[in-house]
Amino acid sequence: MSLSVDAVDIKKRIESCKNLQDVEGIRLEYLGKKGLIPSEMKLLGKLSFDERKLKGQELNKLKSLIEDAIDNQKTFIENAEIEIKLKNENLDVTLPQIEKTNGKIHPISQTIFSIIEIFGNLNYSVEAGPDIESDFNNFSALNIPPHHPAREMQDTFYVKNNDGEDNVLRTHTSPVQVRTMLKTKPPIKIIVPGRTYRSDSDSTHTPMFHQVEGLVVNKDATMADLKSTLITFLKEFFEIDNLKYRFRPSYFPFTEPSAEMDVAFTKKNNVLKIGEGDDWLEILGCGMVNPKVLENCNIDSSVYQGFAFGMGIERLSMLKYGITDMRGLFDVNIKWLDHYGFSPLDLRNRAEV
Ligand code: PHE
C-alpha cells in the first residue's frame, strides 16, 4: 500500500504560498491533529509487520520533508516582509542618531529633596510663598526700612503692581518668615525652599537662584539649639561625621545676634574636598530672630523667641555633587543633566530612612 500523495507536489504547494496563513493551512492539512499524516499513522496498527515498517518509514520521511519545506517557506516569507518594510520606510541614513533622552532629576531638585528629608526627620514642616513679594514682607517687616543700606546690598528687581506700587522679586526666602508668623501662632518650626532673585550675573551668581530658609519660634529657643540644628543638618547633608566648621559673628537686620557658618575645605588638583583643611567656605547666615521682627508680625517678644537661618541651595548642590561652574545648573543642556542628574529610582542618592 502506498500513499496517495506525491511529496514533490506538496513541496511545490508549500513553496507557492505567499503568506504565513496559507503555509499554516497546508501544515494543518498534513501535520495537524486530523491531518493526513497523523490519520495514516493511526491506521498503521492494522497492517502486517512488514507493511507497517515500510509505510511507517515512508510516513516519517514525508513528515520531515513537509516540516522542512514549511520552515523554509516561513523564513522566506518573513524575510520578504522585512524587505518590503525597509523599501517603504525611506530611511535617511545621513540623519544624526536620535539620542536616548530619558530625562533626569536636576541636582537642585535632588538637593531640595534631601534638605526636606533631613529637616523632616527633625520635625520641620515645609512652607512656601510667592516669588513676587510686597516691600513690607521682603524688607520692612524684616527690619530693613526704606533707604537702609541692606536694600542696596541685595540688588533688587522691582516690579510695579496694578496700583503703581513697587513690589519686588523676593531677594531672599525670609519674607516667608513674615507670612508664616502673620498667619500662625507659635510654636513655629518651618523650612522654606524656594526661588530668589537678585540683579547679579557672573560665574558665581545667577539672577535667579534658590535658598532654603529655616524658622523656629517658641518660648525657649536658644542660640545653642540653632547651632546644634545646623551642625546636625550639615553633617547629614554632606554625609561627613567629623565635619570641620566654624560660626563667625555677622550682621543681618532681622536677627540679633547674627552669625555666619563656614565649612572647612581643601583644594587638590582642582578638586574640592569639603569638611577638612585650613580654608573656609561660607555656607549660611543665621541668628536669633530680632524681637522687632516678632513685634512686626504681631508676636509678643516678651513671651516668644526664635532662631532663623538661610542658605544657598546652588552652593550646597555644587559642593555635594562636585559641580564646578554654577551656570551649568541653568543651561538646560540635556547632556549636562545626563551627567549630573539623578534617576528617579536611584535610591543610592536618597538619605536612608
Ligand atoms: N536672608 C539672608 C540672606 O539672604 C539669610 C538669613 C536668613 C540670615 C535667616 C539670617 C537668618 O542672606
Side-chain angles (χ1 to χ4, degrees):
M1 179 183 172
S2 131
L3 270 174
S4 55
V5 289
D6 176 11
V8 180
D9 280 350
I10 302 177
K11 216 174 156 209
K12 270 193 190 146
R13 271 188 71 199
I14 294 172
E15 282 168 1
S16 68
C17 285
K18 296 265 183 295
N19 57 51
L20 294 173
Q21 288 98 296
D22 291 353
V23 178
E24 180 62 8
I26 298 182
R27 193 190 67 80
L28 288 173
E29 188 180 325
Y30 290 100
L31 307 177
K33 241 184 181 176
K34 291 183 181 146
L36 183 86
I37 306 254
S39 318
E40 292 279 341
M41 291 276 197
K42 269 183 212 150
L43 299 176
L44 286 181
K46 292 181 184 155
L47 302 178
S48 72
F49 178 79
D50 285 342
E51 276 178 324
R52 194 190 310 154
K53 195 176 163 199
L54 211 72
K55 181 118 186 252
Q57 280 173 354
E58 207 182 326
L59 282 172
N60 276 332
K61 211 172 133 196
L62 186 64
K63 188 179 169 210
S64 56
L65 185 139
I66 297 175
E67 280 171 350
D68 286 351
I70 285 181
D71 278 351
N72 287 342
Q73 190 61 12
K74 271 189 178 168
T75 314
F76 178 80
I77 292 170
E78 280 162 1
N79 285 344
E81 279 173 0
I82 293 172
E83 200 86 348
I84 290 170
K85 251 195 194 160
L86 283 177
K87 254 188 206 150
N88 293 340
E89 245 171 24
N90 267 338
L91 202 70
D92 183 351
V93 291
T94 64
L95 282 175
Q97 183 190 355
I98 297 172
E99 282 182 41
K100 212 173 112 208
T101 51
N102 283 334
K104 292 234 176 130
I105 292 179
H106 196 279
I108 295 290
S109 306
Q110 184 75 20
T111 305
I112 293 174
F113 295 155
S114 63
I115 291 171
I116 291 175
E117 193 159 13
I118 297 168
F119 279 107
N121 286 338
L122 298 172
N123 282 331
Y124 281 72
S125 48
V126 177
E127 275 291 337
D131 292 10
I132 299 176
E133 263 297 2
S134 65
D135 186 281
F136 177 78
N137 287 344
N138 195 82
F139 292 125
S140 306
L142 291 164
N143 197 31
I144 314 175
H147 311 299
H148 190 286
R151 291 196 176 204
E152 263 79 84
M153 267 159 53
Q154 297 202 345
D155 305 307
T156 312
F157 286 114
Y158 289 92
V159 227
K160 289 224 180 304
N161 70 10
N162 290 340
D163 303 326
E165 288 168 30
D166 272 337
N167 278 337
V168 298
L169 290 184
R170 64 178 181 191
T171 56
H172 48 184
T173 40
S174 304
V176 188
Q177 287 192 32
V178 177
R179 287 178 173 270
T180 309
M181 288 191 276
L182 285 174
K183 76 172 186 207
T184 34
K185 288 199 162 48
I188 291 169
K189 200 173 180 184
I190 56 152
I191 54 162
V192 187
R195 286 192 195 106
T196 46
Y197 305 83
R198 289 181 201 176
S199 177
D200 210 349
S201 186
D202 57 37
S203 65
T204 53
H205 296 89
T206 51
M208 188 280 297
F209 57 104
H210 297 77
Q211 285 190 340
V212 58
E213 190 83 9
L215 174 70
V216 170
V217 182
N218 56 34
K219 288 180 180 161
D220 50 20
T222 64
M223 193 83 185
D225 297 337
L226 168 62
K227 286 174 76 175
S228 70
T229 303
L230 293 172
I231 295 163
T232 305
F233 167 73
L234 288 178
K235 284 183 175 177
E236 288 254 343
F237 181 78
F238 288 117
E239 296 170 83
I240 303 174
D241 279 341
N242 51 352
L243 184 89
K244 190 173 160 190
Y245 59 84
R246 71 176 183 195
F247 284 87
R248 257 184 309 108
S250 185
Y251 171 77
F252 300 101
F254 33 94
T255 47
E256 182 57 37
S258 302
E260 278 174 312
M261 191 178 178
D262 300 332
V263 168
F265 77 96
T266 43
K267 203 171 187 180
K268 263 193 208 134
N269 303 330
N270 227 12
V271 181
L272 248 175
K273 194 163 188 314
I274 192 93
E276 55 184 60
D278 296 322
D279 291 317
W280 296 101
L281 208 69
E282 183 199 317
I283 291 280
L284 57 85
C286 62
M288 299 306 291
V289 180
N290 191 323
K292 285 188 194 156
V293 175
L294 295 174
E295 296 297 336
N296 289 342
C297 299
N298 308 328
I299 290 177
D300 186 348
S301 64
S302 65
V303 179
Y304 292 104
Q305 55 196 44
F307 62 74
F309 54 86
M311 47 197 151
I313 291 180
E314 279 74 11
R315 174 162 279 193
L316 290 176
S317 303
M318 290 168 75
L319 290 174
K320 181 158 180 181
Y321 304 124
I323 300 165
T324 43
D325 189 339
M326 187 178 190
R327 287 167 292 195
L329 288 163
F330 305 115
D331 269 353
V332 196
N333 179 342
I334 198 80
K335 282 204 178 109
W336 183 95
L337 190 63
D338 208 38
H339 180 79
Y340 286 110
F342 296 88
S343 152
L345 298 175
D346 196 349
L347 298 174
R348 281 173 307 154
N349 299 304
R350 298 276 160 95
E352 277 178 34
V353 271

